[in-house]
Amino acid sequence: MHEITNSGWIEVITGCMFSGKTEELLRRLRRAEIAGQDVAVFKPSLDDRYGEETVGSHDGRQWEATVVDPEEHVWDVADELNGEEIVVSGTDQTFRGEPFEPLPRLVSLAEYVDKYQAICSQCGEPATRNQRLIDGEPAHVDDPTIMVGATESYEARCRNCHTLRTD
Ligand SMILES: [Zn+2]
């Protein structure tokens, strides 16, 4: 798919939830491993848990990942790029439909970007947004971006069907 160079490159896989980002990441990891390339998987911690975890997809395929602090230098990948192929996967929007760093920044620095769509759970159109639901109701616009331990759920939705509580 890509010509190998000595300068390295960054690939970004992004899109909303349920768009197949993790499956695509795992496909690329397997491809590199089959070719005998060294691969390392990092995963941002959303709470206090660090150490070994796995990146998995819904069909049960898993990969060992090192869980890191999102503020750590591992996300400054452009500064560290030295002949490495770096693949980053993550959602690019908050539940409000706003840019969700570091993905937008990485998109601007990357050589290759693939943005995937899910299918809107309401109308069946291509979905690009993360609809957060609290007890089945749309989340409030003032809710924190990351809610650790909350009883929340998510749906993929299109622009028209994406809603936020503002009352
Ligand atoms: Zn829709």
Side-chain angles (χ1 to χ4, degrees), residues 140-160:
H140 196 279
V141 67
D142 292 332
D143 281 351
T145 298
I146 296 172
M147 295 180 77
V148 175
T151 54
E152 57 183 352
S153 61
Y154 286 89
E155 292 178 353
R157 293 196 184 179
C158 70
R159 284 175 182 268
N160 286 340

Side-chain angles (χ1 to χ4, degrees), residues 42-110:
F42 300 93
K43 187 178 177 181
S45 174
L46 299 182
D47 52 33
D48 293 336
R49 289 173 298 126
Y50 299 103
E52 287 292 310
E53 263 203 20
T54 57
V55 172
S57 62
H58 299 300
D59 66 2
R61 294 174 185 150
Q62 297 210 318
W63 206 281
E64 290 296 314
T66 302
V67 180
V68 296
D69 184 334
E71 304 297 321
E72 289 275 323
H73 66 280
V74 70
W75 297 109
D76 294 328
V77 290
D79 299 333
E80 310 214 345
L81 198 60
N82 187 15
E84 304 286 332
E85 170 188 354
I86 297 176
V87 186
V88 180
S89 171
T91 191
D92 59 347
Q93 293 184 13
T94 68
F95 73 96
R96 298 182 206 90
E98 297 169 337
F100 192 13
E101 294 296 345
L103 259 294
R105 179 166 164 265
L106 291 169
V107 163
S108 70
L109 298 173

